[in-house]
Amino acid sequence: MWQRIKRFFKDSETIFWARLQAVLGIAAAVVTFVDPSILQPIVPPAWFPWLLVANGVFTEYLRRRREDGL
């Protein structure tokens, strides 16, 4: 099963991260479309810019981690 999962993401942590973000983004869009106040206690507006920065740093880390073996 692990091999199937790795093949699905083409052995790339960056592709895994991108697909996870897409799935979570779609779920968040659906939830906030139904009731926008649901996510407000989970992600306060003051934290949102920091989450974007952390996401960018983590994505860059994953990309550079795989750079040597390409």
Side-chain angles (χ1 to χ4, degrees):
M1 176 153 174
W2 181 245
Q3 294 301 322
R4 287 180 43 208
I5 293 169
K6 284 174 60 175
R7 263 185 282 140
F8 180 72
F9 295 115
K10 298 179 175 43
D11 290 327
S12 173
E13 295 89 354
T14 308
I15 293 173
F16 164 75
W17 188 246
R19 290 182 181 171
L20 179 65
Q21 287 176 337
V23 168
L24 292 177
I26 290 169
V30 169
V31 168
T32 56
F33 181 75
V34 173
D35 187 7
S37 64
I38 290 176
L39 290 181
Q40 195 169 21
I42 297 170
V43 182
W47 287 20
F48 191 70
W50 293 109
L51 290 175
L52 289 178
V53 170
N55 179 48
V57 169
F58 188 64
T59 302
E60 180 71 14
Y61 165 75
L62 291 175
R63 189 190 66 76
R64 289 184 184 268
R65 181 174 168 216
R66 295 289 291 182
E67 195 170 78
D68 293 338
L70 295 177

